[in-house]
Amino acid sequence: MKVSLISIPVRDQEKAAKFYTEKLGFVINKDTPLGGGNRWLTLVSPEWQDGPEVLLEPAPNHFEPSKVYQDALFEAGIPYTQFDVDSVDAEFDRLSKLGVEFSVKPTVMDTVKFAIFNDTCGNHIQIVEDL
């Protein structure tokens, strides 16, 4: 068994696609219209294009429990998911220069360094570096 896709709830797929590609550096893998203005919109890491896909899921627009869950996580400051990076400090600097807002600056905890940012689409995302 292996993970091939993770889903991140977003309220505006176009805004999310722009943020995740232009700021974070992901590349669009699939972009298929589903009707009603929704898309099967997946991204992959440019360094691992045959790795897991990130689905920008419009569920909060169509399923109220998804919106409630997303809002509760965001208000509590809990990251929806995390991405591994080689250097949290380097990504923090790069993303900060691009205007990405961090709620938690680079922090060491035991054997990891992490930071948390706002993806502008209703989620906190954590970046993590193994030390």
Side-chain angles (χ1 to χ4, degrees), residues 10-121:
V10 299
R11 296 187 185 163
D12 183 328
Q13 285 183 303
E14 190 59 39
K15 180 180 178 184
K18 186 173 181 168
F19 180 86
Y20 278 79
T21 58
E22 293 178 10
K23 305 273 182 165
L24 300 186
F26 286 93
V27 294
I28 293 176
N29 190 49
K30 295 179 182 112
D31 190 355
T32 306
L34 296 176
N38 299 307
R39 299 147 56 187
W40 183 261
L41 180 56
T42 69
L43 312 170
V44 292
S45 167
E47 296 93 22
W48 193 12
Q49 292 194 26
D50 61 343
E53 295 176 87
V54 174
L55 172 65
L56 300 178
E57 171 64 59
N61 296 331
H62 310 289
F63 187 59
E64 187 63 23
S66 177
K67 182 179 178 184
V68 170
Y69 179 65
Q70 183 187 32
D71 287 345
L73 284 178
F74 191 85
E75 289 171 21
I78 298 171
Y80 189 84
T81 195
Q82 79 175 32
F83 299 127
D84 291 344
V85 297
D86 292 331
S87 170
V88 166
D89 290 327
E91 283 300 310
F92 175 81
D93 291 342
R94 182 183 76 79
L95 294 173
S96 293
K97 288 176 184 169
L98 293 172
V100 175
E101 295 180 15
F102 281 80
S103 58
V104 176
K105 293 181 168 62
T107 303
V108 173
M109 184 177 290
D110 295 324
T111 61
V112 299
K113 183 179 281 189
F114 69 96
I116 301 172
F117 64 85
N118 179 346
D119 77 350
T120 73
C121 304

